[in-house]
Amino acid sequence: MSSIFGIIDRSSGGKCNISTGEVYTRDQWTVVSDASFYKQYGDKEMVIKTLLDLWLKQGMDCVKVLYGDFAFVIHNSETGEIFCARDHFGVRPFFYTFAENRFIFGSLLNCVVSALKSKPTIRHEYLLQSLVTAKEEKHLTPFENIYRLKPGHYLHYRNNKTETHSYWQLDAEKRIILKNE
């Protein structure tokens, strides 16, 4: 990802690690975190704590109150559950694969490819479609078993089952009003 914020472990509600992420408009989130934490740790850690609080309280619905550019991963080390989300318009890239008994992710495709022990297989259909139609499938990449999380989607992995879901669709009638300070 574009920024490594660090890891925060929480004993309540299971151990959860936020591996990486970049989120804006946190001052407008519905969960208010402890101000003493901010004084002790700083802005980046506060974003992680607030995001983790959102996830612990709202689960997968936490993405519904996030606006701006973001891509993040939350890993529950007790259950093995993985939750990932990408911003509404896909400003922040997010590539991932489940390979070699690992979940590998990054903001650059070459980072995911270089983390693999073996060379990935080329997806010839993807390359052909890209050359002939100039159309790109939003979730595919030029490599087999390496994917791109679609904009406005989240990924949930639990009990060896991976699901991706849309949490947002552009609605021309709905207005989003952000507070200005």
Side-chain angles (χ1 to χ4, degrees):
M1 297 270 123
S2 55
S3 298
I4 302 295
F5 284 158
I7 296 174
I8 293 181
D9 288 331
R10 298 286 296 268
S11 58
S12 62
K15 278 192 174 177
C16 299
N17 302 327
I18 293 183
S19 302
T20 183
E22 189 161 339
V23 183
Y24 302 106
T25 66
R26 66 176 164 73
D27 57 325
Q28 298 171 25
W29 295 352
T30 57
V31 175
V32 178
S33 292
D34 182 9
S36 64
F37 185 91
Y38 176 78
K39 290 176 186 173
Q40 183 179 359
Y41 293 102
D43 193 44
K44 290 181 180 181
E45 291 82 2
M46 187 65 173
V47 171
I48 295 170
K49 183 182 184 307
T50 305
L51 186 55
L52 184 54
D53 287 347
L54 276 171
W55 183 72
L56 288 171
K57 291 178 181 179
Q58 298 182 16
M60 292 180 275
D61 285 339
C62 70
V63 291
K64 294 179 180 178
V65 298
L66 301 177
Y67 296 101
D69 306 345
F70 61 86
F72 64 87
V73 175
I74 297 174
H75 175 242
N76 184 322
S77 58
E78 289 183 352
T79 65
E81 180 179 3
I82 297 172
F83 179 75
C84 314
R86 187 171 178 204
D87 64 87
H88 301 74
F89 294 104
V91 174
R92 298 290 170 199
F94 189 94
F95 298 95
Y96 69 95
T97 186
F98 289 91
E100 303 162 353
N101 295 318
R102 299 182 297 158
F103 177 65
I104 303 169
F105 65 95
S107 61
L108 299 172
L109 182 58
N110 65 337
C111 292
V112 175
V113 171
S114 66
L116 295 170
K117 295 176 185 170
S118 59
K119 190 175 178 181
T121 305
I122 299 291
R123 188 187 313 258
H124 297 287
E125 307 82 39
Y126 174 89
L127 296 176
L128 182 61
Q129 183 183 21
S130 296
L131 291 172
V132 173
T133 65
K135 180 182 175 189
E136 183 179 300
E137 289 292 330
K138 292 189 186 277
H139 70 288
L140 297 178
T141 68
F143 302 103
E144 295 286 342
N145 300 317
I146 300 177
Y147 304 96
R148 176 188 346 243
L149 189 59
K150 291 181 186 179
H153 279 68
Y154 67 82
L155 176 147
H156 184 236
Y157 172 82
R158 187 171 191 166
N159 299 327
N160 294 319
K161 185 177 179 185
T162 304
E163 297 177 340
T164 58
H165 297 279
S166 172
Y167 67 86
W168 181 81
Q169 292 290 323
L170 181 62
D171 182 356
E173 301 297 319
K174 185 177 180 182
R175 298 184 75 176
I176 297 173
I177 301 171
L178 300 177
K179 298 177 196 173
N180 287 333
E181 294 187 82

